[in-house]
Amino acid sequence: QVQLVESGGGLVQTGGSLRLSCAASGRTFSLYKMGWFRRAPGKEREFVGRVTWSGGSTYYADSVKGRFTISRDNAKNTVYLQMNSLKPEDTAVYYCAAGVRPSAGSMSYDVWGQGTQVTVSS
């Protein structure tokens, strides 16, 4: 099994930046992708973006495109979410997720982290 641990959350001002990390351990050899999701208070979980382990192909939700960047360090089995130009609407608990399948959607992810809080002051 794979275990995921997010870190790097915190409180930032509007327009500020923050970098989240997601460290994967266990049987990581079979993983195809690492995704980032977020859940704001009282709202549904939302897809943020994802990166493939092989090739580093990235894909982002329109709401964060141009502001957020996902990268990965294969040697460290770690994925990063660099968040710039943060807005109050970005306030949420951010989760990383790992999946073995290339298909889209939250159900295509097999393992989820515990989440890390990101708060953007208005």
Side-chain angles (χ1 to χ4, degrees):
Q1 186 61 285
V2 174
Q3 297 82 45
L4 305 177
V5 179
E6 303 99 332
S7 62
L11 173 64
V12 297
Q13 295 186 119
T14 297
S17 298
L18 204 60
R19 189 176 85 155
L20 306 183
S21 298
C22 176
S25 61
R27 298 181 177 181
T28 61
F29 62 89
S30 63
L31 298 179
Y32 172 78
K33 62 186 179 183
M34 296 288 287
W36 285 98
F37 294 78
R38 65 186 183 185
R39 185 175 65 193
K43 303 188 71 175
E44 297 294 319
R45 186 170 59 198
E46 175 188 20
F47 170 77
V48 174
R50 69 104 175 93
V51 65
T52 58
W53 282 112
S54 179
S57 175
T58 55
Y59 183 76
Y60 303 94
D62 289 341
S63 59
V64 306
K65 201 172 300 180
R67 300 187 298 121
F68 291 11
T69 302
I70 299 174
S71 60
R72 92 275 193 235
D73 186 331
N74 293 51
K76 295 182 178 180
N77 288 323
T78 300
V79 173
Y80 306 94
L81 178 64
Q82 178 66 49
M83 304 183 292
N84 299 324
S85 301
L86 283 163
K87 308 173 181 179
E89 306 93 271
D90 296 317
T91 295
V93 175
Y94 283 71
Y95 300 88
C96 65
V100 301
R101 292 155 288 177
S103 57
S106 61
M107 291 298 98
S108 69
Y109 292 86
D110 306 285
V111 183
W112 295 77
Q114 295 297 305
T116 185
Q117 177 71 49
V118 171
T119 303
V120 184
S121 62
S122 58

